[in-house]
Amino acid sequence: MKEQSHTRIRQLVDRYDSMRTIMLAEGILVGIAAGLISAFYRFALGKADEWRGAILDFCRGNGLRMAGWLVVLIFLAYLVSRLNRWEPMISGSGIPQVEAEIIGYIRPNWWKVILAKLSGGFLCIIGGLSLGREGPSIQLGGMAGKGVSKFLKRFRLEEHFLITCGASAGLAAAFNAPMAGVMFALEEVHKNFSAIVMLSCMSSALVADYIANGLFGMEPVFSFAVQDMIPLRDYPMIIGLGLLCGVLGVLYNKVLLASQTAYGKLDKLPDWGRLAIPFVLAGVLGFTMPAVLGGGHGMIVQLYSGNLVLGSILALLVVKFLYSMVSFGSGAPGGIFFPLLVLGAYVGSAYGVILVSGGLLESELLNNIIIISMAALFSSIVRAPVTGVVLISEMTGSFSHLLSLATASLIAYVVADLMGSKPVYESLTERLLMKQNVKVEKGRSGKKSMLTCVVEAGSEADGCRIRDLCLPSRWCLVISVTRGEEDLIPRGDLELRAGDTLVTLVQERDMLAMESVMRHKVGLDEDRMENTQS
């Protein structure tokens, strides 16, 4: 067993030298697989929206048909509950599941997740639940990456890289936003900006975006016309919008978690009974306020028209918010990504209409405020401001408002942070692990991780030989030193320089202690790379 462990470590070290090229090529493979699956999911949900609209038109005004549709909705809830029971990892958006696997706490069956998520997401959208396609697309892409890893028989370290690539490709295909897919994968899923991960995610996202553009066209998801830039004199309005979105983002997170807690107290109801609540409510709203159903594309279309008065905007905003909480809290397979952007658009629209009516803002700048609000609310809720700025820019097809987007997003981020609100996906991941009875430990013996650090100028390691650095040999083994494009043999007499990339192999149970040592001696810690079983 010990010899097998050493063999696996040696194989991993041998592959590290050519890891960038290998991951770039494998990222392309993952991009093809994830792009096709995510594009199919996007197409299926588009059809589900069309069919639901046709069904509601057919039933509207006929009491018997309307009652029959409610019965069908209850049956759909039963089918979704059976899918959730067959594969529990499809519940919710799917992003917490991907993050939990990257951390190393769960290992779902990739093909079961793909089949069940595709089916469950389609049933939820045809039923009208207020859920998005982007979170599931990220999970589908991640599982496609895992499938490629299994086919190529890769180590778990590479498998986690490929899952991250798939997540990036999934978001790229869902939104026609390849750079946002890369940033989200790095900023939220992998939480590591290493060159290997970034290059492989970029290749994966670009390939997936090519596939999506070929099938759905190159038009941006949102078509808000932005004619003028917001002048600097109006930036106090942007600051106010950032503050507002920061507070509303905290409220959103609290209510979202509260909705899950409330459903958890309905333990006397069967699984299908809890899911029947949002499905039946979808039937009622379908005949009274159909625009709030699904991800919210109908609401965006109404904003395009520019004919909504403030009262209608606020009514749609409140109903969409509450129904989104009811839908997601039930555990139905679907995400919060697109619905929260729709909510952000309506917050911005209401805010802008008030400013325009008060003579504080030119009416031509209303669409600018809507776009900025989407990014700010996303930043407050998800706590990924860079992704928010890039995502909204790509979705609207305009990068002319980066300054205003970044200003509002950073303010919303700081407000949410000062109010003590956790990022939504971090909270959802914690709840997922609790529900799965997974004990979160800080270290698990038997597994080894690669810790990558860059030697910082002026640190203890700068100009010091490896043997004189006095790294705790009982905790780590130095396996690689890279200087520019040159790979150096990590002998004891090798003198380290600022900018060198130092890679160590560490027992996972000693990871936290080793990170502390490396921060003190080396300086900049790039965060650990993923676990690999020995």
Side-chain angles (χ1 to χ4, degrees):
M1 185 70 179
K2 189 173 182 180
E3 291 181 0
Q4 183 182 4
S5 171
H6 291 167
T7 300
R8 288 174 63 85
I9 293 173
R10 181 177 295 277
Q11 290 173 347
L12 181 60
V13 172
D14 291 341
R15 286 178 62 82
Y16 182 80
D17 293 337
S18 56
M19 185 72 82
R20 292 188 185 185
T21 304
I22 293 172
M23 289 304 303
L24 192 65
E26 292 179 354
I28 294 174
L29 292 178
V30 172
I32 294 172
L36 289 173
I37 292 173
S38 299
F40 174 75
Y41 186 67
R42 178 175 170 179
F43 172 79
L45 296 197
K47 287 298 180 182
D49 275 327
E50 293 179 13
W51 295 349
R52 183 186 65 250
I55 292 171
L56 291 175
D57 289 341
F58 176 73
C59 296
R60 190 174 286 112
N62 187 304
L64 184 60
R65 292 175 182 172
M66 293 168 65
W69 177 236
L70 290 178
V71 173
V72 171
L73 289 173
I74 294 174
F75 179 66
L76 293 179
Y78 173 77
L79 292 179
V80 173
S81 72
R82 299 302 300 175
L83 288 169
N84 274 348
R85 183 179 292 273
W86 182 59
E87 179 45 71
M89 287 297 107
I90 68 167
S91 177
S93 76
I95 296 176
Q97 288 87 332
V98 173
E99 292 187 0
E101 181 159 13
I102 293 294
I103 296 171
Y105 287 113
I106 62 173
R107 300 188 68 184
N109 185 312
W110 65 273
W111 63 266
K112 286 181 65 177
V113 170
I114 290 176
L115 290 179
K117 197 76 171 188
L118 288 171
S119 304
F122 177 81
L123 293 176
C124 287
I125 294 302
I126 199 171
L129 271 62
S130 181
L131 299 169
R133 67 173 182 258
E134 292 71 27
S137 295
I138 290 171
Q139 185 181 21
L140 289 169
M143 292 301 97
K146 185 174 183 178
V148 171
S149 173
K150 296 298 183 185
F151 178 77
L152 297 177
K153 298 181 180 179
R154 295 304 186 224
F155 293 108
R156 286 189 66 200
L157 171 63
E158 282 190 55
E159 181 173 290
H160 287 173
F161 284 167
L162 295 180
I163 290 173
T164 305
C165 290
S168 173
L171 182 58
F175 269 143
N176 282 17
M179 292 301 101
V182 174
M183 294 309 304
F184 185 79
L186 297 176
E187 192 175 21
E188 177 61 31
V189 176
H190 204 81
K191 296 180 173 64
N192 186 342
F193 284 78
S194 69
I196 292 176
V197 181
M198 183 178 69
L199 290 174
S200 56
C201 283
M202 187 175 295
S203 66
S204 181
L206 289 174
V207 170
D209 189 50
Y210 288 143
I211 293 173
N213 287 337
L215 294 174
F216 304 106
M218 300 181 67
E219 292 296 320
V221 175
F222 293 135
S223 299
F224 291 106
V226 179
Q227 298 177 353
D228 300 308
M229 301 261 307
I230 295 181
L232 291 177
R233 67 174 182 271
D234 289 334
Y235 267 59
M237 311 302 171
I238 294 177
I239 293 173
L241 180 59
L243 294 171
L244 174 63
C245 288
V247 174
L248 292 179
V250 173
L251 174 65
Y252 181 98
N253 287 356
K254 288 183 180 296
V255 177
L256 185 73
L257 298 177
S259 69
Q260 288 190 324
T261 302
Y263 271 103
K265 294 179 180 179
L266 301 177
D267 52 356
K268 293 184 178 179
L269 284 177
D271 293 341
W272 69 267
R274 289 193 289 272
L275 281 167
I277 295 173
F279 273 95
V280 171
L281 188 55
V284 176
L285 291 172
F287 299 117
T288 56
M289 196 178 288
V292 302
L293 299 183
H297 181 72
M299 292 178 63
I300 294 297
V301 170
Q302 292 191 14
L303 270 188
Y304 288 162
S305 67
N307 297 324
L308 292 176
V309 297
L310 181 60
S312 300
I313 293 171
L314 293 175
L316 285 168
L317 173 62
V318 171
V319 174
K320 181 65 174 178
F321 170 75
L322 294 176
Y323 184 49
S324 296
M325 299 298 106
V326 173
S327 297
F328 187 80
S330 68
I336 60 173
F337 221 119
F338 194 86
L340 77 83
L341 292 179
V342 172
L343 293 174
Y346 270 71
V347 168
S349 181
Y351 182 81
V353 167
I354 293 174
L355 292 180
V356 170
S357 62
L360 300 175
L361 186 75
E362 298 293 332
S363 59
E364 292 80 8
L365 299 176
L366 181 58
N367 284 347
N368 299 64
I369 295 296
I370 291 173
I371 291 170
I372 294 168
S373 181
M374 285 191 286
L377 190 65
F378 178 90
S379 179
S380 175
I381 293 170
V382 181
R383 216 67 63 79
V386 178
T387 299
V389 171
V390 175
L391 175 65
I392 299 305
S393 297
E394 287 190 297
M395 289 180 67
T396 56
S398 173
F399 287 84
S400 62
H401 38 262
L402 284 177
L403 179 60
S404 54
L405 281 174
T407 300
S409 296
L410 288 176
I411 291 172
Y413 178 96
V414 172
V415 169
D417 191 57
L418 291 176
M419 293 181 68
S421 175
K422 284 186 177 181
V424 65
Y425 291 121
E426 180 180 324
S427 299
L428 293 174
T429 301
E430 291 176 357
R431 292 203 169 200
L432 168 69
L433 295 177
M434 289 176 58
K435 187 177 180 180
Q436 297 296 317
N437 296 317
V438 175
K439 184 179 180 181
V440 179
E441 302 171 352
K442 293 185 178 180
R444 287 170 288 175
S445 60
K447 294 186 179 180
K448 298 175 178 65
S449 295
M450 295 172 69
L451 182 62
T452 305
C453 304
V454 175
V455 177
E456 194 172 77
S459 67
E460 183 177 338
D462 187 9
C464 180
R465 291 184 176 90
I466 290 180
R467 64 166 170 259
D468 298 331
L469 196 56
C470 298
L471 294 176
S473 58
R474 68 186 184 278
W475 289 348
C476 78
L477 173 68
V478 179
I479 62 173
S480 174
V481 176
T482 304
R483 182 172 297 160
E485 295 297 325
E486 184 180 4
D487 292 319
L488 307 177
I489 299 175
R491 295 190 179 97
D493 61 351
L494 176 65
E495 184 177 303
L496 298 173
R497 300 177 187 173
D500 286 353
T501 299
L502 187 67
V503 182
T504 59
L505 193 66
V506 187
Q507 283 280 1
E508 178 129 357
R509 63 171 177 265
D510 301 320
M511 177 60 74
L512 293 180
M514 191 59 203
E515 284 180 346
S516 178
V517 171
M518 297 298 274
R519 275 193 296 268
H520 173 70
K521 292 180 177 289
V522 177
L524 179 61
D525 177 19
E526 281 192 345
D527 202 357
R528 63 184 178 186
M529 298 174 73
E530 300 312 321
N531 301 337
T532 179
Q533 280 191 333
S534 63

